[in-house]
Amino acid sequence: MNIVEPYEPIQHHWFFNQQVDSKDSWQPFSSEDSQRLEEAYARGKYDKDEVVVATDGRRYDVKLRERKRYPVYWEQKPTEVRRCSWFHKGSKDMNYTPYTEDLSEFLEDAYMIAVTLDEWKTNLELPTGETVILHNPKLMTQYPISCKDFPPSPTERTQPRTLKRGVENISIEIPEGEPEIVDHLVFMVHGIGPACDIRLRGIVQCVNEFRNASNSLITSHFRPSGDSSIIGRVEYLPVNWHKVLHGETTGVDKDIERITLPSISRLRQFSNDTVLDLFFYNSATYCQTIVDTVASEINRLHSLFLQRHPQFTGHVSLFGHSLGSLILFDLLTNQETSADVTDHELHKDAHVNSDCGSYESLEVALKSHGLEEHLSLLHKEQVDLESLILCSEKDLKDIGIPLGPRKKMMNCVKKWKNSRMGSGRAAKTETNSPSLGMRNPHDPQTPTTSAVDYQHFDVGIGQVSIDYPQLAFHPQAFFAAGSPIGMFLTVRGLKRIDPNYSLPTCKSFYNIFHPFDPVAYRIEPMIVPQDVDLPAMLIPHHKGRKRMHLELKEGLTRVSSDLLGSLRMVWQSISQVPTPALAEGGLSSMTPTDEAEACQVEQEERNVKVGMLNRGRRIDFVLQETPIESFNEYLFAIQSHLCYWESEDTALLVLKEIYKYFQVRNAQL
C-alpha cells in the first residue's frame, strides 16, 4: 500500500528582473528582504492603497501593487518584481526563470490535486497553449506544443523544459541581507566617460561591485563573530556628473557633433564621450557645470540618505577615480571651515540679500548698464539677479536676448561673480593657514612655499576661475584612485606642496594607484625634499602577505645582491688576509651587515615626514600587480586604470581607514 504524502503549501520567494546583455535575468532578493515583502504582501493583500517596502539596504523601494522596484538615489528605469514559487529552464539555459504569478498559482493548484489524490502523469494545458506533464513530485516537464496523446511522439515535440517547485529546489544563491546599521557613508565620483571599467559598466554597477566586495571584507576582517550590532556596514553611493554635462541642458554634445569629422566615426564618438571631458574641465563654463553638479549631487544624496537613515551617526568620506579625484581635490581645497565662514558670513549674506533677492535689484543692476529693455523677458522666465548669475549664455539666447545685450550681461555676471568671490579672498588672505605653496604668477623667480592660498589663484597656474560650492559636511577621508592630481598640480605651476598644508575640511588623504596605471601620478615627491627617494607604500593583499610572484621576485633580487656582495667580500679577503681567516667568518660577516642596512632603511622610511595632507602619515599607496599582469605591463595598462572598482585590496584599505577611527569613537563612547 502506497503512503500518500500530505500536501505542504509552497514557500514563496521574491525576485526582481534586471537586464544583462539586453536579456532578462531574474535575481532573488535576500532572505530578509523577501520575508519583508511577503509580510507586507500578506498585510496589504486586500488593501487598495499602494504598499512600499524598502529593500537592498534601503537603496530601492518596491511598490507591491505595481510589482515594480524603483531606485532611490539614482535615475534608472523601474524593474519588474515577482512573487515566485515555480520555475522552468530549457536545456540550453543557464538559470531557472520564474513563472508569472498567475501561472505559478495554476501549477500549484494542479500539484496540490495530484499530491492529494496521488494521481500523476497527467497532462496540463497552460493558458499559453503549452503542455505540462506532472510525472511525479520530483519530475515535471513542459512542452511547447499541446500533447493530445500520451506520451507525445519524438517527432511531435521538441526538447522539453524542466520544471521545479520552490526556490529551494533550484540551484541559485540567495544573497545575504545587509545589516540595518550603517557605520559610514562614502560618495564615489567617476572619471571621464560614461563607462567606468573594462567591461564598460556604468558608475552604478561599478559601485555595486565595490559595495559587495566591502560587505564581504567586513564579514571576514572586521566582523568575524558575525555580530552586526557592533560592526554594521559601509554604504557607497555613486555620483554621476557625466550625464548632466552631456545632457540636453548644456547642449554640448550637439555642438561637438556639428564639428566632428565623419571619418572613423566610432573612434571619434568614443573621444567625444570620454577624452573631451578633460578639456571640458579646463573650460570655465563647463568646469563650473561639472563642479556644481558634483557638489549638488553629493549634497542631495547626503540629505536623502539622512532622511532614509534617521539614526545614522557616522561620518562621510569621498572616493574619486581618475578625473573624478581631481574634481574632488579642487572642491576640497576650496571648502570653508567654520572660522572662514565666521569671518565674512555677515558680509556675504548682506551682499546676497541686497543685490540678488528681488526683481527690483535686478532692475537696478540692468539699468546701470543700459540693459533695462530686456527686463520683461527675464521677468517672464522668473529670473532674478541670483538666477541670472547662474545662467549661461545659451540660457539667455534661448529666452530671446540678442547677441549684443547677451554679451554685456555675461560680462556683468562675470564681474558680479568676481566681486562676490573677492570678499572671500580678502577674508582668506588675512588668515595664516598654510597653502599648497603655489608660485606667484607675478613673480618669475623660483617657486616658494610661502603662505599663498591655492584656491584663489586663478591666473597663471592653469586652474580656471569658478565659484566653488560648499559641501554639507566635513569628510573624514578622501580616497583618490588612479589619480592625475599630481600631474595637474605640476602643469598648473606647482613645484612643491607646503608640508604644513592640509585640506581645509578633510584631514585624511590617500592616493591609491596600480603600478601600471598610465593615468596615475604620485603626491609624496611634491612634499618631501628632492633628495629623499621614498617608494610608495605597498598595499597588503586582502588575504595577507604579498602576492607569491612578488615575494619570489624580491627573493631572487635579494639573493643576487647577497651573492654579488659575498663574491666581492671573498675577493677582498683572498687579496688581503691569509686563507685560514676565511673559515673564521669572512663570509658570514655579510649577513648582519645587510640586516643592519635593511633595518636602517626601514627606520629612515618611518622617520620621513610627508606633510599634513594625511595627518602626517603616508599618502601614496600602490597595489600589487597580479601574476598575469607582471608578464607584460603595457598589455594591461588600460585595464590597470580601471581595476579599482573590483579591487578587494583597495576596498580593504578604505575599510581600514574608516574603522580605525570608528573603533576609536566607540571606545570613547
Side-chain angles (χ1 to χ4, degrees):
M1 179 178 179
N2 294 332
I3 299 176
V4 179
E5 295 184 2
Y7 167 78
E8 293 184 2
I10 187 71
Q11 297 296 320
H12 294 82
H13 196 96
W14 290 76
F15 282 65
F16 64 91
N17 186 20
Q18 66 178 17
Q19 292 287 314
V20 178
D21 297 331
S22 301
K23 296 181 180 179
D24 290 341
S25 176
W26 287 92
Q27 302 296 325
F29 285 98
S30 68
S31 299
E32 293 83 352
D33 284 345
S34 182
Q35 183 177 351
R36 279 193 289 265
L37 289 167
E38 187 66 16
E39 292 172 354
Y41 169 80
R43 290 194 305 268
K45 190 172 183 179
Y46 304 103
D47 194 346
K48 295 182 179 180
D49 296 332
E50 181 61 86
V51 178
V52 180
V53 179
T55 64
D56 303 272
R58 307 190 70 84
R59 293 183 299 275
Y60 288 86
D61 281 339
V62 172
K63 296 184 178 181
L64 287 181
R65 292 187 64 84
E66 287 187 30
R67 292 294 197 271
K68 295 290 185 181
R69 175 175 176 260
Y70 290 84
V72 173
Y73 296 105
W74 53 82
E75 292 184 6
Q76 190 177 17
K77 291 183 179 179
T79 56
E80 184 182 353
V81 169
R82 283 183 187 175
R83 181 174 180 259
C84 303
S85 56
W86 283 77
F87 305 85
H88 62 91
K89 183 172 78 74
S91 59
K92 297 182 180 180
D93 295 337
M94 297 294 295
N95 302 308
Y96 280 90
T97 300
Y99 281 101
T100 63
E101 295 184 33
D102 290 339
L103 283 179
S104 293
E105 186 175 352
F106 176 84
L107 290 170
E108 184 64 22
D109 290 341
Y111 179 85
M112 179 180 62
I113 294 173
V115 170
T116 304
L117 302 179
D118 194 23
E119 294 181 355
W120 300 96
K121 297 182 180 180
T122 57
N123 291 7
L124 297 175
E125 185 171 344
L126 299 179
T128 58
E130 297 170 311
T131 299
V132 168
I133 302 177
L134 305 179
H135 298 278
N136 57 59
K138 301 297 183 181
L139 179 59
M140 293 165 280
T141 53
Q142 172 186 323
Y143 299 91
I145 58 175
S146 179
C147 301
K148 301 295 184 182
D149 301 320
F150 180 82
S153 63
T155 58
E156 189 182 13
R157 69 187 186 193
T158 58
Q159 192 71 20
R161 303 182 69 82
T162 302
L163 272 65
K164 293 294 183 181
R165 176 181 181 266
V167 69
E168 65 276 5
N169 291 317
I170 64 175
S171 56
I172 191 169
E173 182 178 355
I174 305 297
E176 295 183 5
E178 301 179 30
E180 287 290 331
I181 300 175
V182 178
D183 301 326
H184 201 90
L185 174 63
V186 180
F187 295 110
M188 310 191 83
V189 182
H190 65 84
I192 62 173
C196 297
D197 69 352
I198 199 68
R199 289 184 274 175
L200 303 180
R201 295 182 298 178
I203 179 65
V204 173
Q205 290 78 14
C206 288
V207 172
N208 288 344
E209 179 98 5
F210 198 92
R211 186 190 303 108
N212 292 337
S214 173
N215 289 339
S216 298
L217 290 169
I218 289 176
T219 301
S220 60
H221 288 68
F222 300 90
R223 200 194 311 133
S225 63
D227 186 0
S228 60
S229 63
I230 300 176
I231 299 294
R233 63 184 176 91
V234 177
E235 182 60 278
Y236 302 87
L237 296 180
V239 178
N240 190 338
W241 55 266
H242 182 272
K243 186 175 182 179
V244 176
L245 175 64
H246 293 267
E248 296 182 357
T249 305
T250 63
V252 64
D253 281 5
K254 293 182 179 178
D255 296 337
I256 293 295
E257 185 180 356
R258 288 199 300 268
I259 61 175
T260 300
L261 300 182
S263 59
I264 53 174
S265 57
R266 291 186 179 180
L267 181 58
R268 294 186 191 278
Q269 183 62 41
F270 173 79
S271 176
N272 291 347
D273 286 342
T274 56
V275 179
L276 287 189
D277 287 348
L278 291 171
F279 297 96
F280 288 140
Y281 188 66
N282 284 285
S283 158
T285 300
Y286 296 112
C287 180
Q288 185 73 66
T289 300
I290 293 173
V291 171
D292 286 346
T293 300
V294 170
S296 62
E297 183 67 0
I298 289 176
N299 287 337
R300 181 189 72 84
L301 292 172
H302 181 253
S303 176
L304 184 56
F305 175 84
L306 294 180
Q307 293 176 21
R308 297 182 67 85
H309 297 268
Q311 306 301 322
F312 177 73
T313 58
H315 287 248
V316 185
S317 292
L318 301 174
F319 183 103
H321 175 242
S322 191
L323 181 61
S325 66
L326 178 65
I327 298 170
L328 288 176
F329 183 82
D330 287 343
L331 190 61
L332 289 174
T333 57
N334 288 278
Q335 294 298 290
E336 297 177 348
T337 62
S338 57
D340 297 330
V341 175
T342 303
D343 286 340
H344 65 277
E345 189 66 34
L346 293 177
H347 176 78
K348 183 177 179 181
D349 288 344
H351 177 81
V352 172
N353 291 336
S354 62
D355 290 342
C356 305
S358 65
Y359 290 138
E360 288 75 16
S361 61
L362 175 65
E363 183 175 358
V364 171
L366 293 184
K367 281 185 177 180
S368 65
H369 293 83
L371 298 170
E372 63 272 13
E373 63 180 289
H374 304 288
L375 272 171
S376 58
L377 288 174
L378 297 174
H379 286 174
K380 183 179 178 181
E381 299 294 331
Q382 299 182 356
V383 175
D384 58 8
L385 188 55
E386 184 71 12
S387 302
L388 183 59
I389 292 177
L390 299 175
C391 287
S392 65
E393 183 174 354
K394 184 177 183 300
D395 295 331
L396 299 180
K397 180 180 179 181
D398 290 343
I399 65 175
I401 296 180
L403 177 62
R406 190 166 70 239
K407 291 293 185 181
K408 291 182 180 179
M409 285 187 189
M410 294 308 298
N411 186 48
C412 294
V413 166
K414 183 177 180 180
K415 292 180 179 178
W416 293 333
K417 283 185 177 180
N418 289 338
S419 65
R420 178 183 292 187
M421 294 177 65
S423 62
R425 292 192 181 104
K428 281 283 191 176
T429 53
E430 293 175 1
T431 66
N432 294 321
S433 60
S435 73
L436 285 174
M438 298 302 302
R439 181 204 307 239
N440 191 323
H442 304 294
D443 184 4
Q445 303 300 320
T446 57
T448 66
T449 57
S450 59
V452 182
D453 201 334
Y454 165 79
Q455 70 184 43
H456 301 311
F457 264 91
D458 48 38
V459 179
I461 63 171
Q463 186 186 28
V464 295
S465 175
I466 64 171
D467 188 9
Y468 284 93
Q470 301 298 301
L471 297 177
F473 55 87
H474 290 183
Q476 174 181 310
F478 167 41
F479 302 93
S483 174
I485 291 175
M487 180 271 290
F488 269 84
L489 293 181
T490 302
V491 170
R492 290 171 178 176
L494 179 64
K495 293 288 186 180
R496 185 165 180 260
I497 298 175
D498 191 318
N500 295 320
Y501 178 81
S502 64
L503 299 173
T505 61
C506 180
K507 302 308 177 184
S508 296
F509 173 35
Y510 291 83
N511 184 39
I512 305 167
F513 55 90
H514 189 285
F516 304 155
D517 188 340
V519 180
Y521 290 82
R522 294 193 60 187
I523 295 293
E524 289 176 347
M526 302 183 71
I527 303 175
V528 300
Q530 293 185 359
D531 59 346
V532 175
D533 184 13
L534 189 64
M537 291 288 290
L538 189 68
I539 299 176
H541 190 267
H542 65 281
K543 292 185 178 179
R545 300 182 60 183
K546 294 180 181 178
R547 294 183 185 269
M548 185 172 295
H549 72 285
L550 292 180
E551 289 189 344
L552 180 61
K553 183 190 297 184
E554 290 184 2
L556 292 175
T557 303
R558 192 181 303 112
V559 168
S560 300
S561 177
D562 292 347
L563 181 59
L564 289 175
S566 299
L567 292 175
R568 188 181 300 111
M569 194 66 175
V570 169
W571 175 255
Q572 292 175 353
S573 300
I574 292 175
S575 59
Q576 296 177 5
V577 300
T579 303
L582 293 176
E584 298 176 2
L587 289 175
S588 63
S589 64
M590 281 300 300
T591 302
T593 303
D594 289 341
E595 291 179 353
E597 290 177 354
C599 293
Q600 183 179 357
V601 171
E602 292 180 1
Q603 187 66 31
E604 289 177 355
E605 288 191 9
R606 284 198 296 267
N607 293 335
V608 169
K609 297 185 181 300
V610 290
M612 296 306 297
L613 267 178
N614 194 21
R615 303 174 186 264
R617 302 170 301 177
R618 297 296 303 273
I619 300 170
D620 292 337
F621 291 81
V622 59
L623 292 167
Q624 302 179 40
E625 72 269 20
T626 62
I628 191 173
E629 290 173 341
S630 63
F631 284 112
N632 191 322
E633 56 190 51
Y634 292 96
L635 184 62
F636 293 94
I638 301 300
Q639 178 177 321
S640 67
H641 181 60
L642 305 173
C643 73
Y644 307 98
W645 301 107
E646 51 189 12
S647 168
E648 293 172 300
D649 298 346
T650 301
L652 183 58
L653 177 65
V654 172
L655 291 173
K656 286 181 177 178
E657 162 67 20
I658 289 172
Y659 280 109
K660 175 168 55 180
Y661 292 100
F662 177 81
Q663 293 170 354
V664 170
R665 288 201 310 273
N666 282 354
Q668 293 174 347
L669 294 176

